[in-house]
Amino acid sequence: MQPQFIQAVKQLIPAERYFDDPVATLAYGTDASFYRLLPKLVLRVESEAEVVVLLKLANEYQVPLTFRAAGTSLSGQAVTDSVLLVLGENWQQREVRGLGEQIRLQPGVIGAAANQALTRFQRKIGPDPASINSCKIGGIVANNASGMCCGTAHNSFNTLSAMRLVLFDGTVLDTEDAQSVASFRQSHAALLAELAQLGQQTRDNTELCNKIRHKYRLKNTTGFSLNALTEYTDPIDILTHLMVGSEGCLGFISAVTYNTVPDYPHRASGLLVFPDVESCCRAVTVLKSAPVSAVELLDRRSLRSVENKAGLPAWVKSLSDTACALLIESTAASNSLLLQQLDHIRSVMQAFELEQQVDFSTDPGVYNQLWAIRKGTFPAVGAVRKIGTTVIIEDVTFPLEQLAEGVSRLQQLFDKYYYTEAIIFGHALEGNLHFVFTQGFDDATQVARYEAFMQEVANMVAGEFGGSLKAEHGTGRNMAPFVELEWGQQAYQLMWQLKKLLDPANILNPDVVLSHNPRLHLQNLKPLPATNPLVDKCIECGFCEPVCPSRKLTLTPRQRIVTQREISRLSHSGDDPKRLVALEQSYAYQGNDTCAACGMCSTACPVGINTGDLTRQLRARKHQRWQALAAFTARHFAAVSMMARLGLTAGRMVSALLPFWHKAMPTANYAKVKTAKQELQPIIYLAGCSGRVMAPQAESNDKRSLLQVSTDLLAKAGYQLIVPEGIDSQCCGMPFQSKGQFTAASQKQQQLQQWLLQATHNGELPVFSDTSPCSLTLQGKLDSRLNIIDSVDFLLQNVLPKLSFTKLSEPVALHLTCSANQLGHGDKLKQLLAACSDEVVVPEGISCCGFAGDKGFVLPELNASALSGLKQQVSACCQGVSTSRTCEIGLSHHAGLEYQHIVYLLDRCSN
């Protein structure tokens, strides 16, 4: 890159959003595909104006650019060895129109968040990719992603109402703005004329036109969207629809307006197992005209991969080797209509012999479990793969009438090339099959096997069957060498004409979608070296990223694992010692220090990886010299707790001199708990150390300690909380565990176990745990005789039914802590809050608050970053609610609203 380009970029992009260091370029040089390119420069862009200038600079200095949203793409379309433009946090505007019939979205909105905005209207966006909880609108549109229920009718191409885009020369076009359209028609008349001419020529070419229409009756994302030329005559419409599925190769999508689709509230699912592939696929052709919203095919191998999952009947293990299943869903606007639809589906299926079935159920517990099992097939293969290999998911479409033969032919290819673990599943109504297999790329023999296999797949799917080599995952680098094979020379050259028209300098994501390199799909293959058994199963999908509290500040869980893999590779190989040192030094802060180790990543990870476990292990190595201090602290915990109280008192006295002190800082808790005099049902009170040490903030409306409020509330319901002697010496071990001091943590847990056994008379009395992080830490760790009940569970089961409540007139904000989330307390907390307010606000995009025990004190930037979007979302609330005292400090500070444990609100509202 020319120095003039770099200098101009530095004047435009602030240093905190300009990355050229080894960690950032490595971390962002990874998407969910099996390709790896290291960008020379990563820029986090926050406005359309910045994109406009960068496009102009790129054109001037001939620097290729690649756009990136969430990086969950599977075909290598979001990696580059040039300049990577990553969407920042300021691309999340959305506007619901009318009664939800349309929604205007910026490219940084996560797909699930768009649907959340439409929920109250019983509407949703058409595309429903499996990654919808993490992928973003920019990627959904640019890849024309679809999914299980979407089909072809509801993809982005067919539900697009309007678009705002930026062309290669920096020109902005907003098709909802009449003035913008008029100006563009004048300034780019030649471009529009050429588009119109290409469209007319294509429609006049009967053979080509018929081929295009055939290809798009199937699911198809191979190449550019040539159906824009056959379905539209206005060149503005042609242009916007060419942008759909263009993978960042024709321009930048700045906003889209979708026509939404119904999201029916009544649903049922059933699993039908057929004796063979042929009868299963014949059933699909019948179901095509039945009232079904989704039909998923699972071959015998895919069923075998999940046969031990909870919710699947035991008979799955004994199915015949030729069995093939359909998971069917039907949805309706009313229950009566749904029942009619189910009768119809059962009726048409009576003609088929079934080996087994799970009959249709309207029970959410049943159908959600069935769909969770279906979604678990891909990670099931990833979880059992050999370390060092990658898991590959391919994505093809067969004409529906040839689906059975397509499945059988794929299975024959698996056997021929020894992919014995390979499975097939897919969206049967569209003839869209995903096949998953594991592949090593560490020697030429393995690469040659993959090359030969993919060549046969391409020849069979595209050549013999006239199908699609990429149904919904995008062409990327993976299928770019096969676009001509699938489409033929005439259509292929038409795509190149469009590319040269809309990107004449070839600066927009070059080699993606179209490439002159026939071996592109075999180059820049991503290494996946072993680094640690805790994370070696990571498939680098990126599903973890939206729930990570450090994602806006430093690294995400995926990026931490990517960096650790590279550190391990360099350590073992001896290659590039300087790079190794740079990575290790940078990782100390970006990867280790700023990891909250909260475990939220495990809740989104398809293979259940908790990157926090890796972080704690790395801290254990780093902090070995502090083991003696940790042991001393553990032995003198009561004294350390008293020192903490004294520190809070002293800090408050000189708070004006302490720049980090703020009004949400807690006061010291010296109060003794006052108990009711009457005889009540006894319960041992396990009070968390944070609540024992910290009282509410100085300006709190309720200055009682958490222990006192819990005692008062439970007394109303007939329970007496007993705080045994010696509580100040007790700890669940989490403060030690989070720093990698595992020995001290274990000692505290053993001490706590003995103390609780004595206090409860060997488990005769239940234990009330008031802090969700403590409850989660102790889960499964202590003597099974101890009945430790988290406060949320106890309040819902034993307190709520016994009290009456007066509701507040204002909304209440709920923060679901990472530990409460992992305990499954989300709905339970909402049930508790429903007794106190008719409006509960759960801020979007905030999972873990990032306070992480004491990190909110020592690394306040992590807490600030994690809660950067909080204040505006809770501004109308009268109170915030949580289940962790330390979390409440940061929440109160960054929300400008006091957060307290839920017992405060329940006590306030209960009679």
Side-chain angles (χ1 to χ4, degrees):
M1 287 184 290
Q2 297 180 41
Q4 298 95 317
F5 173 79
I6 293 174
Q7 185 61 36
V9 170
K10 285 184 175 180
Q11 291 177 355
L12 176 69
I13 304 296
E16 63 269 19
R17 295 195 276 116
Y18 180 105
F19 307 100
D20 59 1
D21 63 282
V23 165
T25 53
L26 172 67
Y28 286 109
T30 299
D31 65 1
S33 73
F34 50 95
Y35 298 100
R36 162 79 50 73
L37 287 168
L38 294 181
K40 296 179 179 66
L41 186 59
V42 178
L43 305 174
R44 188 177 294 159
V45 292
E46 294 289 4
S47 71
E48 182 183 81
E50 290 178 349
V51 173
V52 167
V53 175
L54 287 168
L55 281 167
K56 291 179 178 179
L57 288 171
N59 265 289
E60 181 179 354
Y61 295 104
Q62 296 295 286
V63 177
L65 301 179
T66 294
F67 307 114
R68 178 168 176 162
T72 56
S73 48
L74 294 162
S75 301
Q77 55 267 63
V79 295
T80 180
D81 57 2
S82 183
V83 177
L84 185 67
L85 304 188
V86 180
L87 292 182
E89 293 298 313
N90 292 335
W91 296 92
Q92 299 188 50
Q93 291 181 21
R94 74 217 59 182
E95 177 193 351
V96 177
R97 295 177 178 174
L99 295 177
E101 297 92 349
Q102 287 190 337
I103 187 169
R104 178 80 159 179
L105 299 162
Q106 284 192 311
V109 177
I110 291 176
N115 284 339
Q116 185 64 36
L118 293 164
T119 298
R120 64 192 179 103
F121 301 105
Q122 294 185 5
R123 308 285 295 182
K124 63 181 179 177
I125 62 172
D128 63 331
S131 58
I132 197 164
N133 289 326
S134 50
C135 67
K136 297 178 180 179
I137 294 299
I140 290 174
V141 180
N143 289 292
N144 200 19
S146 48
M148 286 186 273
C149 300
C150 173
T152 54
H154 294 160
N155 62 20
S156 292
F157 187 95
N158 288 314
T159 57
L160 181 71
S161 172
M163 181 182 289
R164 185 177 175 93
L165 59 93
V166 188
L167 287 184
F168 72 95
D169 59 0
T171 302
V172 177
L173 168 64
D174 189 340
T175 64
E176 286 190 333
D177 183 337
Q179 185 175 350
S180 174
V181 172
S183 175
F184 189 83
R185 287 191 190 277
Q186 185 174 6
S187 64
H188 287 68
L191 183 149
L192 292 175
E194 194 161 348
L195 276 179
Q197 184 179 11
L198 287 173
Q200 188 63 54
Q201 290 172 354
T202 303
R203 293 188 295 275
D204 289 344
N205 185 329
T206 304
E207 181 184 356
L208 178 59
C209 189
N210 288 340
K211 181 166 192 172
I212 291 170
R213 286 180 171 150
H214 161 73
K215 297 292 286 184
Y216 288 105
R217 277 193 288 269
L218 308 175
K219 270 193 180 182
N220 186 4
T221 60
T222 307
F224 292 131
S225 300
L226 294 184
N227 50 339
L229 299 169
T230 60
E231 303 306 306
Y232 296 95
T233 56
D234 187 325
I236 295 287
D237 291 329
I238 293 174
L239 175 59
T240 57
H241 286 83
L242 280 171
M243 294 292 291
V244 176
S246 64
E247 301 178 34
C249 298
L250 302 180
F252 176 79
I253 300 168
S254 187
V256 294
T257 302
Y258 274 125
N259 294 316
T260 63
V261 301
D263 185 18
Y264 294 122
H266 299 276
R267 63 188 62 230
S269 295
L271 182 69
L272 278 57
V273 183
F274 299 81
D276 51 58
V277 170
E278 290 73 19
S279 60
C280 183
C281 292
R282 285 200 310 273
V284 173
T285 62
V286 173
L287 289 167
K288 184 73 174 176
S289 57
V292 294
S293 56
V295 178
E296 291 292 297
L297 181 146
L298 298 98
D299 77 344
R300 181 65 184 97
R301 298 184 194 192
S302 64
L303 289 169
R304 191 174 287 121
S305 74
V306 293
E307 63 186 15
N308 293 314
K309 295 280 187 181
L312 266 187
W315 49 253
V316 173
K317 295 181 181 179
S318 59
L319 290 173
S320 66
D321 288 341
T322 58
C324 193
L326 295 178
L327 176 56
I328 304 170
E329 180 176 81
S330 183
T331 61
S334 68
N335 190 56
S336 59
L337 179 57
L338 177 63
L339 295 177
Q340 291 177 31
Q341 293 177 180
L342 295 181
D343 287 341
H344 178 75
I345 297 168
R346 291 188 182 104
S347 174
V348 298
M349 287 294 100
Q350 283 181 353
F352 295 90
E353 176 189 352
L354 296 180
E355 190 168 317
Q356 286 286 358
Q357 71 171 317
V358 175
D359 196 16
F360 287 95
S361 175
T362 58
D363 180 353
V366 174
Y367 63 67
N368 285 335
Q369 186 64 48
L370 287 174
W371 284 99
I373 291 166
R374 152 60 185 88
K375 292 177 180 179
T377 51
F378 171 43
V381 175
V384 299
R385 77 184 192 278
K386 180 183 176 183
I387 301 303
T389 63
T390 189
V391 59
I392 297 176
I393 178 169
E394 289 296 350
D395 169 43
V396 299
T397 303
F398 293 98
L400 193 56
E401 62 274 12
Q402 296 173 292
L403 182 60
E405 187 180 355
V407 173
S408 297
R409 292 283 298 278
L410 282 174
Q411 290 174 334
Q412 291 169 24
L413 285 178
F414 296 157
D415 293 337
K416 178 178 179 179
Y417 288 97
Y418 303 102
Y419 291 115
T420 56
E421 77 294 339
I423 66 172
I424 297 173
F425 57 87
H427 318 318
L429 290 177
E430 309 301 328
N432 176 200
L433 297 179
H434 301 306
F435 55 96
V436 181
F437 59 101
T438 62
Q439 174 69 54
F441 291 121
D442 48 358
D443 62 62
T445 303
Q446 290 294 322
V447 175
R449 177 176 71 137
Y450 172 72
E451 178 183 13
F453 172 69
M454 288 308 299
Q455 189 63 55
E456 284 212 48
V457 168
N459 291 337
M460 178 186 69
V461 174
E464 293 184 46
F465 288 89
S468 307
L469 290 171
K470 283 295 180 183
E472 54 184 6
H473 293 167
T475 309
R477 299 171 178 276
N478 183 227
M479 281 299 158
F482 300 97
V483 174
E484 185 174 12
L485 171 67
E486 175 171 333
W487 277 96
Q489 186 178 25
Q490 193 174 21
Y492 183 63
Q493 290 304 319
L494 177 57
M495 291 182 192
W496 273 111
Q497 284 181 271
L498 292 167
K499 172 69 172 174
K500 290 172 182 175
L501 175 63
L502 295 171
D503 181 23
N506 195 30
I507 61 162
L508 298 179
N509 219 3
D511 269 341
V512 168
V513 179
L514 300 179
S515 175
H516 294 298
N517 182 353
R519 297 184 59 80
L520 183 73
H521 62 303
L522 304 173
Q523 297 170 354
N524 300 302
L525 299 169
K526 182 198 296 181
L528 288 175
T531 182
N532 189 300
L534 292 170
V535 298
D536 281 338
K537 296 299 182 184
C538 174
I539 55 180
E540 298 184 8
C541 63
F543 286 12
C544 56
E545 295 189 335
V547 298
C548 177
S550 63
R551 67 187 185 277
K552 305 174 192 175
L553 179 66
T554 51
L555 298 179
T556 66
R558 168 169 63 173
Q559 293 171 334
R560 288 185 168 91
I561 294 171
V562 166
T563 307
Q564 279 299 309
R565 282 175 166 163
E566 181 67 358
I567 287 173
S568 295
R569 186 188 72 81
L570 293 173
S571 297
H572 288 109
S573 69
D575 297 341
D576 204 342
K578 287 185 178 179
R579 176 173 166 79
L580 174 61
V581 170
L583 288 173
E584 289 178 328
Q585 289 178 345
S586 186
Y587 191 86
Y589 174 78
Q590 295 194 60
N592 195 336
D593 294 349
T594 55
C595 177
C598 60
M600 281 302 295
C601 47
S602 67
T603 67
C605 176
V607 292
I609 292 171
N610 184 345
T611 314
D613 290 340
L614 171 65
T615 295
R616 284 184 282 269
Q617 204 170 91
L618 294 173
R619 288 172 182 169
R621 296 178 201 163
K622 181 180 178 182
H623 297 158
Q624 286 183 354
R625 65 185 183 277
W626 301 110
Q627 287 180 351
L629 179 60
F632 178 86
T633 303
R635 289 194 305 270
H636 302 88
F637 202 76
V640 172
S641 298
M642 180 53 70
M643 290 174 62
R645 292 186 185 96
L646 294 172
L648 287 172
T649 302
R652 185 182 171 198
M653 292 173 63
V654 296
S655 59
L657 303 176
L658 302 175
F660 61 85
W661 202 271
H662 50 77
K663 70 176 185 178
M665 292 288 277
T667 57
N669 179 21
Y670 297 103
K672 298 295 182 182
V673 177
K674 300 175 183 177
T675 58
K677 294 181 179 180
Q678 68 265 38
E679 289 294 322
L680 302 173
Q681 186 174 340
I683 298 177
I684 300 302
Y685 189 1
L686 176 57
C689 54
S690 58
R692 300 196 309 259
V693 170
M694 303 174 190
Q697 62 191 56
E699 298 179 10
S700 176
N701 292 324
D702 190 341
K703 294 183 173 59
R704 291 176 297 165
S705 70
L706 174 58
L707 284 75
Q708 187 63 60
V709 178
S710 298
T711 301
D712 294 346
L713 175 63
L714 267 67
K716 293 180 184 179
Y719 300 98
Q720 181 173 354
L721 286 177
I722 299 171
V723 182
E725 288 293 324
I727 183 72
D728 280 340
S729 295
Q730 305 308 317
C731 173
C732 68
M734 188 186 68
F736 300 96
Q737 183 176 293
S738 67
K739 293 174 175 58
Q741 299 296 341
F742 299 128
T743 301
S746 179
Q747 289 172 351
K748 292 309 295 179
Q749 288 175 1
Q750 289 300 313
Q751 179 187 350
L752 177 63
Q753 175 175 280
Q754 295 305 314
W755 181 78
L756 283 174
L757 284 170
Q758 181 178 355
T760 62
H761 309 298
N762 292 322
E764 290 182 12
L765 296 176
V767 179
F768 177 87
S769 172
D770 69 359
T771 302
S772 57
C774 300
S775 302
L776 180 65
T777 301
L778 295 174
Q779 199 172 50
K781 298 285 181 62
L782 304 186
D783 193 302
S784 60
R785 290 174 291 174
L786 292 170
N787 180 22
I788 300 176
I789 309 171
D790 183 77
S791 58
V792 174
D793 289 317
F794 191 90
L795 293 168
L796 186 63
Q797 296 166 12
N798 302 292
V799 175
L800 189 66
K802 296 182 179 181
L803 301 179
S804 59
F805 292 84
T806 302
K807 290 188 177 183
L808 302 176
S809 58
E810 305 109 320
V812 174
L814 169 63
H815 175 69
L816 182 62
T817 65
C818 47
S819 48
N821 186 304
Q822 292 168 74
L823 288 167
H825 285 169
D827 289 339
K828 295 177 180 179
L829 280 163
K830 291 176 185 177
Q831 289 180 56
L832 289 169
L833 287 176
C836 302
S837 176
D838 286 327
E839 187 175 354
V840 177
V841 176
V842 182
E844 180 189 314
I846 294 171
S847 50
C848 172
C849 69
F851 207 90
D854 63 351
K855 282 197 178 295
F857 298 123
V858 297
L859 283 174
E861 65 269 29
L862 175 60
N863 184 228
S865 176
L867 298 180
S868 60
L870 176 64
K871 190 170 186 176
Q872 59 269 35
Q873 295 189 66
V874 300
S875 58
C877 297
C878 65
Q879 184 172 344
V881 165
S882 177
T883 54
S884 169
R885 182 66 190 95
T886 51
C887 297
E888 291 151 16
I889 300 169
L891 289 163
S892 300
H893 177 49
H894 293 289
L897 170 77
E898 186 178 17
Y899 276 75
Q900 290 184 304
H901 195 286
I902 191 170
V903 295
Y904 283 85
L905 183 63
L906 292 172
D907 188 55
R908 174 184 173 187
C909 295
S910 59
N911 302 319

